Amino acid sequence: MSSINKLTSLSTQTLSLILERQRFPHAAATHDERIQGNMQALRDGIRGLGSSAEVDGLRQQYERMRGMVGGQTLEDEREDERELPPPPTPRKSQEQVYTPYTDDPDPDLEAGIMLQEQRRLMDDQDNHLDALSHSINRQRDVSLQINSELNTHTALLDGLDQDLDMTHSRLNTARRNLERVSKGVKGNGSTVTIGVLILVLLVLIVIFKT
């Protein structure tokens, strides 16, 4: 029902434009475009609707307005569409198709040559890939050997570092002992001197008695 209401409103507006166009012929050019657009919309809308009393009323009003503007009615348009001749049916050509003569070589032969060339290129690529694979494997072996040697040198350096730490610890201990002895000698210097003199005197007495 909404489509019928819209078409009814459009029909009323179009009729008002047609009447205004007839009353003021000098302004007809300003209304012709709108009238044609509205009439086209009415025609398409009426064709899309079914058959009912309201649709028949719209169709009659449309035909009256077409008559007022000097155009064809819906019935006339249907007659024109029925009178149009059917499109011609395309005919199949009865002429025999001949293959032109050519000096080009046999395409099958060219395909075979191209296939052989592609196989040769693939074989060359396989050989290059094999050589590259051998080179990569050799470099891998060399890298593993270098890694093993580096691990060995690292272990030796770790052992040397431990030995240096032990030597440094021993040197520190000896230095502390020397410092302690030096301090003791400085504190008991006279006692040591007397003891040494007594020892020398005893040695001389023994020598002279013998």
Side-chain angles (χ1 to χ4, degrees):
M1 295 299 294
S2 59
S3 299
I4 295 177
N5 293 334
K6 290 180 180 179
L7 292 176
T8 303
S9 176
L10 183 61
S11 176
T12 304
Q13 295 176 5
T14 306
L15 181 59
S16 299
L17 291 173
I18 293 173
L19 294 175
E20 187 176 355
R21 178 177 178 272
Q22 291 178 351
R23 290 176 59 189
F24 304 100
H26 60 278
T30 60
H31 300 298
D32 287 344
E33 185 175 356
R34 290 186 59 189
I35 291 172
Q36 291 178 2
N38 291 346
M39 295 296 289
Q40 180 70 26
L42 283 171
R43 184 185 64 180
D44 296 339
I46 292 171
R47 285 183 174 180
L49 296 175
S51 179
S52 64
E54 295 179 353
V55 175
D56 292 340
L58 282 174
R59 185 178 291 107
Q60 293 176 2
Q61 187 172 355
Y62 171 78
E63 292 176 355
R64 285 197 301 270
M65 289 188 296
R66 291 291 292 180
M68 293 172 66
V69 297
Q72 291 180 328
T73 62
L74 290 174
E75 297 297 332
D76 295 336
E77 292 177 358
R78 293 194 186 95
E79 291 294 333
D80 292 342
E81 292 177 356
R82 285 195 292 268
E83 291 176 0
L84 289 176
T89 303
R91 297 181 179 179
K92 295 183 179 180
S93 177
Q94 300 295 330
E95 297 180 358
Q96 185 177 0
V97 179
Y98 295 95
T99 303
Y101 174 77
T102 178
D103 292 332
D104 295 336
D106 189 1
D108 295 335
L109 181 60
E110 287 188 353
I113 295 174
M114 292 178 62
L115 183 60
Q116 292 179 359
E117 184 67 19
Q118 289 178 355
R119 288 179 178 175
R120 186 183 64 80
L121 292 175
M122 292 176 66
D123 292 337
D124 293 340
Q125 290 179 356
D126 291 339
N127 294 331
H128 289 304
L129 290 175
D130 291 338
L132 181 61
S133 177
H134 291 314
S135 177
I136 292 174
N137 290 331
R138 185 168 58 253
Q139 291 180 357
R140 175 179 172 274
D141 295 337
V142 172
S143 299
L144 292 175
Q145 292 178 0
I146 293 174
N147 187 29
S148 178
E149 292 180 359
L150 288 175
N151 291 331
T152 302
H153 287 296
T154 301
L156 292 175
L157 290 174
D158 291 338
L160 180 61
D161 191 16
Q162 292 177 359
D163 293 339
L164 289 175
D165 291 338
M166 293 176 62
T167 303
H168 182 68
S169 178
R170 290 175 181 176
L171 288 175
N172 289 332
T173 302
R175 183 175 58 81
R176 287 194 296 270
N177 292 332
L178 288 174
E179 289 178 353
R180 187 169 56 253
V181 171
S182 176
K183 290 179 181 179
V185 170
K186 289 180 180 179
N188 301 319
S190 58
T191 304
V192 173
T193 302
I194 294 171
V196 171
L197 291 175
I198 292 172
L199 180 62
V200 171
L201 181 60
L202 291 174
V203 172
L204 290 175
I205 292 171
V206 172
I207 292 172
F208 285 124
K209 282 185 177 182
T210 58

